[in-house]
Amino acid sequence: MAPNSSIAALMIPVLLISFLRAASAGNFYQDFDVTWGDGRAKILNNGELLTLSLDKTSGSGFQSKNEYLFGKIDMQLKLVPGNSAGTVTAYYLSSQGPTHDEIDFEFLGNLSGDPYILHTNVFSQGKGNREQQFYLWFDPTADFHTYSILWNPQRIIFSVDGTPIREFKNSESVGVSYPKNQAMRIYSSLWNADDWATRGGLVKTDWSHAPFTASYRNFNAQACVWSSGSSSCNSNSWLNEEMDATSQERLKWVQKNYMIYNYCADSKRFPQGYPPECVINTTS
């Protein structure tokens, strides 16, 4: 075999692997619909990049074409840089209706130099109020980072760059409903929430910095797609996934050093005792 042929033969597997990686990353044209914003949401680079923008007139948003019932969802985000006070970038799974289920990442903007707050919540059968909030250990505006939701019948795990930050376990054994029967779409939006987002609404959005822009890439869903009353799973390795000892240690590290609010530790809010799922979801 000629030298050039050898090189070509070696390159074929590399090219194939690269193609498969690109295919698994998803395409925003194929996977999502822009739902609002009057042109402020843009799909770019042949579907590899999506941007949302916010100005004084309107924000913008998108949603997945598919509904999912359990899965492992990854998205890379680069958040609004600079003075983002008053803005919220939301990225979440949700069903519809008054008894909806929802799994939330919300990124609360702040003044230049002050950290973003990552707000998480879990709704089941319309009941939420299960907030945990974190600072991040990096600047989420300088580059893309991966924000992941693992959702299976036993647990929900929120992760950042592969590091778990929160686990919400199925607590049906103590009478707490769990998201398991309602298919959910992926939603994301960038909007003005300066009545509450930054320091309880004390810091308002500075529109001289508009338009504000957040960017998305490398969506990946290993998930069960729900359609016409049944689900089809492209992978189920995550269906019984749980944290190993290393992941549990990383979770403890995050919660010790970067958690700034935990509803399960807010005695003023729950003077009669914490919600029953708090015992099951306590990280020892």
Side-chain angles (χ1 to χ4, degrees), residues 74-233:
D74 302 321
M75 184 82 82
Q76 290 193 328
L77 280 75
K78 183 163 69 171
L79 300 179
V80 174
N83 182 355
S84 59
T87 71
V88 172
T89 307
Y91 158 56
Y92 59 102
L93 288 161
S94 183
S95 61
Q96 296 298 307
T99 58
H100 75 292
D101 295 338
E102 189 172 322
I103 304 170
D104 288 345
F105 278 114
E106 290 187 315
F107 303 89
L108 312 185
N110 217 331
L111 296 169
S112 298
D114 288 342
Y116 263 83
I117 292 174
L118 172 51
H119 175 100
T120 67
N121 205 349
V122 176
F123 288 74
S124 54
Q125 294 295 306
K127 176 178 168 32
N129 300 320
R130 300 183 177 111
E131 303 91 347
Q132 289 185 359
Q133 294 184 336
F134 305 84
Y135 288 142
L136 293 164
W137 49 96
F138 53 83
D139 179 358
T141 72
D143 204 351
F144 286 90
H145 293 269
T146 303
Y147 301 90
S148 306
I149 294 169
L150 169 68
W151 169 37
N152 66 30
Q154 296 82 37
R155 59 187 47 80
I156 296 163
I157 299 174
F158 298 78
S159 298
V160 178
D161 289 338
T163 294
I165 64 168
R166 176 178 186 178
E167 180 179 33
F168 184 85
K169 296 177 183 175
N170 185 325
S171 304
E172 290 177 304
S173 61
V174 292
V176 177
S177 60
Y178 182 81
K180 67 175 188 178
N181 297 316
Q182 300 185 59
M184 298 197 262
R185 292 188 195 275
I186 301 163
Y187 296 87
S188 191
S189 57
L190 174 57
W191 49 291
N192 177 42
D194 66 3
D195 55 334
W196 65 271
T198 306
R199 298 182 189 171
L202 292 176
V203 181
K204 300 300 183 183
T205 303
D206 183 349
W207 295 110
S208 69
H209 294 277
F212 304 98
T213 302
S215 302
Y216 301 74
R217 72 180 188 190
N218 289 350
F219 165 71
N220 187 39
Q222 302 175 52
C224 296
V225 175
W226 184 262
S227 179
S228 302
S230 63
S231 63
S232 173
C233 307

Side-chain angles (χ1 to χ4, degrees), residues 43-60:
I43 298 176
L44 307 166
N45 298 357
N46 297 315
E48 294 182 1
L49 179 71
L50 188 151
T51 61
L52 295 181
S53 65
L54 163 69
D55 57 36
K56 199 167 186 177
T57 301
S58 178
S60 50

